[in-house]
């Protein structure tokens, strides 16, 4: 059974940091491109960051460049998102997803709230 | 960035109706388009990939089609379980942009 389980969300003050983790199982993680997608309260879906399986290509949305860093540990079947200098507008549910023909596997999401 | 314009933003129909949602890409994306269904409090679920390929396990009442830069998701006979918000997404080039969503309700 395919599973993606996110963790690391929480309440943080503006300017603070969080590290999100996504633990994968049930598919070949090392051969998969992976992404972080977020959804602000009552809003639509936004791709935040992506990393190809070979880490040869990394994408970050303009709104997070210089603040967020995506990484992965294929030995641990895990994807990470280091989020620094957080802003109120980063408040959202963050999903990890496998980027294949479309984004076919999704986690349940972890909530990040940036507020003083 | 490639803009994805989805319409309508809300849609209300009767059980058994044929329902159509449209997504227009701001530039050519070949067939690199996916459709997702999202229910409240849940993660999105992939329905259609490569414009018209049905994801495994998705009911056959869902179908996708394409004509140039215009893409369509069709539900042939609306069921109560189909109440959700639907999103299109292009994955031709980064950033893989989503449409703004269509909220589907039952009359």
């Amino acid at each position: 059974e395919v599973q993606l389980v996110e963790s690391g969300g929480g309440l943080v003050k503006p300017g603070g940091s969080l590290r999100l983790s996504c633990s994968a199982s049930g598919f070949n993680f090392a051969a998969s491109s992976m992404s972080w997608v977020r959804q602000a309260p009552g809003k639509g879906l936004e791709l935040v960051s992506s990393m190809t399986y070979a880490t040869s290509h990394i994408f970050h949305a303009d709104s997070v460049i210089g603040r967020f860093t995506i990484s992965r540990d294929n030995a641990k079947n895990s994807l990470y998102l280091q989020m620094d200098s957080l802003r109120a507008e980063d408040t959202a549910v963050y999903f990890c997803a496998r980027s294949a023909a479309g984004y076919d596997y999704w986690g349940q999401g972890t909530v990040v709230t940036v507020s003083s | 960035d490639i803009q994805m314009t989805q319409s309508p933003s809300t849609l209300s129909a009767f059980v058994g109706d044929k329902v159509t949602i449209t997504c227009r890409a701001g530039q050519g994306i070949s067939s690199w388009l996916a459709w997702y269904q999202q229910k409240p409090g849940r993660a999105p679920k992939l329905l259609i990939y490569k414009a018209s390929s049905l994801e495994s396990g998705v009911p056959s009442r869902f179908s996708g089609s394409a004509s140039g830069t215009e893409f369509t998701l069709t539900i042939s006979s609306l069921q109560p379980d189909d109440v959700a918000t639907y999103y299109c997404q292009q994955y031709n080039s980064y950033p893989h942009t989503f449409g703004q969503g269509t909220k589907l309700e039952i009359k």
Side-chain angles (χ1 to χ4, degrees), chain A residues 35 37 39 43-47 50 52 57 59 62 95 100-104 106-108, chain B residues 1 34 36 38 41-46 49-50 55 87 89 91 94-96 98-100:
Chain A
S35 296
V37 177
Q39 186 168 37
K43 301 297 184 182
L45 301 167
E46 179 191 19
L47 176 63
S50 290
T52 58
H57 181 80
F59 165 81
D62 286 348
F95 298 99
Y103 290 23
D104 55 354
W106 295 71
Q108 82 289 350
Chain B
D1 297 2
Y36 301 89
Q38 187 180 31
R42 303 289 297 274
K45 173 186 175 183
L46 178 65
Y49 62 94
K50 209 173 178 184
E55 177 70 352
Y87 295 93
Q89 180 204 29
Y91 54 101
Y94 283 100
H96 295 166
F98 293 87
Q100 73 273 29

Side-chain angles (χ1 to χ4, degrees), chain A residues 35-113:
Chain A
S35 296
W36 290 98
V37 177
R38 69 184 178 184
Q39 186 168 37
K43 301 297 184 182
L45 301 167
E46 179 191 19
L47 176 63
V48 175
S49 301
S50 290
M51 176 178 274
T52 58
Y53 65 93
T55 70
S56 58
H57 181 80
I58 291 176
F59 165 81
H60 290 293
D62 286 348
S63 57
V64 307
I65 286 175
R67 301 189 300 122
F68 290 11
T69 303
I70 189 172
S71 62
R72 64 192 295 162
D73 185 337
N74 288 339
K76 295 184 177 179
N77 284 352
S78 292
L79 180 73
Y80 306 102
L81 187 67
Q82 177 66 41
M83 304 189 297
D84 300 318
S85 302
L86 282 160
R87 305 167 179 168
E89 55 265 35
D90 296 318
T91 294
V93 178
Y94 285 73
F95 298 99
C96 72
R98 186 173 83 153
S99 329
Y103 290 23
D104 55 354
Y105 304 147
W106 295 71
Q108 82 289 350
T110 188
V111 177
V112 172
T113 303

Side-chain angles (χ1 to χ4, degrees), chain B residues 5-94:
Chain B
T5 303
Q6 200 173 326
S7 61
S9 55
T10 59
L11 180 56
S12 185
F14 292 102
V15 171
D17 280 354
K18 178 179 179 180
V19 169
T20 299
I21 299 169
T22 298
C23 186
R24 178 165 287 141
Q27 63 189 72
I29 59 170
S30 187
S31 295
W32 305 119
L33 183 110
W35 289 97
Y36 301 89
Q37 176 193 67
Q38 187 180 31
K39 297 182 178 181
R42 303 289 297 274
K45 173 186 175 183
L46 178 65
L47 300 175
I48 302 285
Y49 62 94
K50 209 173 178 184
S52 60
S53 296
L54 191 68
E55 177 70 352
S56 176
V58 173
S60 59
R61 64 181 180 274
F62 292 92
S63 64
S65 63
S67 177
T69 58
E70 186 166 296
F71 300 84
T72 301
L73 173 70
T74 300
I75 307 173
S76 61
S77 177
L78 184 65
Q79 300 301 305
D81 189 52
D82 300 336
V83 170
T85 299
Y86 293 82
Y87 295 93
C88 63
Q89 180 204 29
Q90 68 80 19
Y91 54 101
N92 178 74
S93 63
Y94 283 100

